[in-house]
Amino acid sequence: MVRFCAVRAARSLLPSAPAIILDRFLPVSILKARTAMIDKPFFNPRIRCICVSDAASPCGCVLAKVFMKDGILSTNFGISLDVLLSGEGRFVLHVTDPSRGCLDALCSRIGQAGISGRVLVFSAHAEAVKRVRRSAGSCATALTSGEALAVLLLSKMGLLFLRRRFAGDALLVSESAGGVRLLNAQLAKELRERGVRVFAWGVTDSVRAKRLLDAGVEGVISSDAWVIKETV
């Protein structure tokens, strides 16, 4: 009771104080409740591979770029988003068009029955992802670039435990960048405990794909037919 009152007092005195600081005073029971993983339908069953090169890939999950063209939500596969979503499987929608018209149409489409549980949305435009979170809360979203960078920096410094929760449901990132390894088993484990799945981007080798999957990465993102065949 004393600890709870102390937290309330701290919040009243420092209303803008970062949650990661105040969370350190919360009772364990509250922390467990706040970090409990919400398993969104998109991730069940597990997605071991996401294909970026074939709309009809046998892996069951396809990544498609989404943009507005002539007033219609279109994809890089030369078909409309409606046609793509009419197929079976799950879809990672890479929103490359941050215009209001595109986002309005996308959120409306996702809000239709039976769609939100089959898609994960990510974009280099943070506002596009945040808009989907506000309009279609049941839809899975990836961490924005800023959110992902914060996660990776905290992980490198061994401070990821400071973050109790995340706005997104997945981290899509390359295994390494500039000679620096970004993904490891510990990061995958800690993020999964907080409800965030990790997907390794740009995997073109089946041995490397297997190593990542064995290390706890949820799945790999690839355009290589052999990698897809070996991981399905």
Side-chain angles (χ1 to χ4, degrees):
M1 182 64 182
V2 173
R3 181 177 295 179
F4 179 72
C5 291
V7 172
R8 291 191 61 181
R11 288 192 184 279
S12 64
L13 292 173
L14 300 171
S16 61
I20 59 173
I21 296 176
L22 297 181
D23 280 354
R24 303 302 295 164
F25 298 93
L26 289 174
V28 174
S29 59
I30 295 180
L31 287 179
K32 287 183 177 180
R34 290 180 61 171
T35 59
M37 186 173 70
I38 300 176
D39 218 10
K40 293 193 174 179
F42 178 82
F43 301 106
N44 290 307
R46 178 184 178 184
I47 298 173
R48 294 175 60 85
C49 186
I50 298 172
C51 176
V52 300
S53 59
D54 182 4
S57 172
C59 71
C61 187
V62 174
L63 186 151
K65 293 181 180 179
V66 178
F67 48 88
M68 188 67 80
K69 182 179 181 181
D70 298 328
I72 299 174
L73 282 174
S74 305
T75 70
N76 59 305
F77 295 117
I79 58 177
S80 70
L81 181 62
D82 280 346
V83 172
L84 180 69
L85 295 179
S86 67
E88 298 181 354
R90 288 167 283 180
F91 305 91
V92 177
L93 305 182
H94 178 187
V95 182
T96 59
D97 180 357
S99 68
R100 181 173 180 178
C102 179
L103 296 180
D104 284 346
L106 178 62
C107 290
S108 176
R109 185 68 180 90
I110 291 175
Q112 296 179 20
I115 298 300
S116 63
R118 298 172 57 208
V119 299
L120 180 148
V121 175
F122 89 103
S123 176
H125 306 281
E127 186 52 41
V129 176
K130 293 176 181 178
R131 173 69 183 279
V132 172
R133 290 172 184 167
R134 292 193 299 267
S135 303
S138 61
C139 174
T141 60
L143 298 178
T144 65
S145 298
E147 293 166 347
L149 179 60
V151 166
L152 295 174
L153 288 176
L154 287 173
S155 175
K156 286 297 181 183
M157 294 186 290
L159 299 174
L160 193 57
F161 68 90
L162 292 175
R163 292 296 301 272
R164 300 297 181 181
R165 52 185 175 176
F166 298 91
D169 309 288
L171 171 65
L172 279 57
V173 65
S174 298
E175 181 182 9
S176 60
V180 178
R181 188 173 182 181
L182 303 178
L183 296 182
N184 55 61
Q186 184 62 26
L187 174 62
K189 178 177 181 295
E190 290 185 347
L191 287 179
R192 185 176 177 82
E193 290 174 348
R194 289 162 173 76
V196 179
R197 305 309 210 286
V198 178
F199 292 90
W201 189 282
V203 179
T204 57
D205 179 86
S206 58
V207 174
R208 180 180 161 205
K210 185 177 185 304
R211 184 180 73 249
L212 287 166
L213 292 170
D214 290 344
V217 169
E218 185 76 6
V220 297
I221 303 172
S222 179
S223 60
D224 189 283
W226 183 251
V227 171
I228 295 170
K229 179 181 178 180
E230 289 293 301
T231 55
V232 171

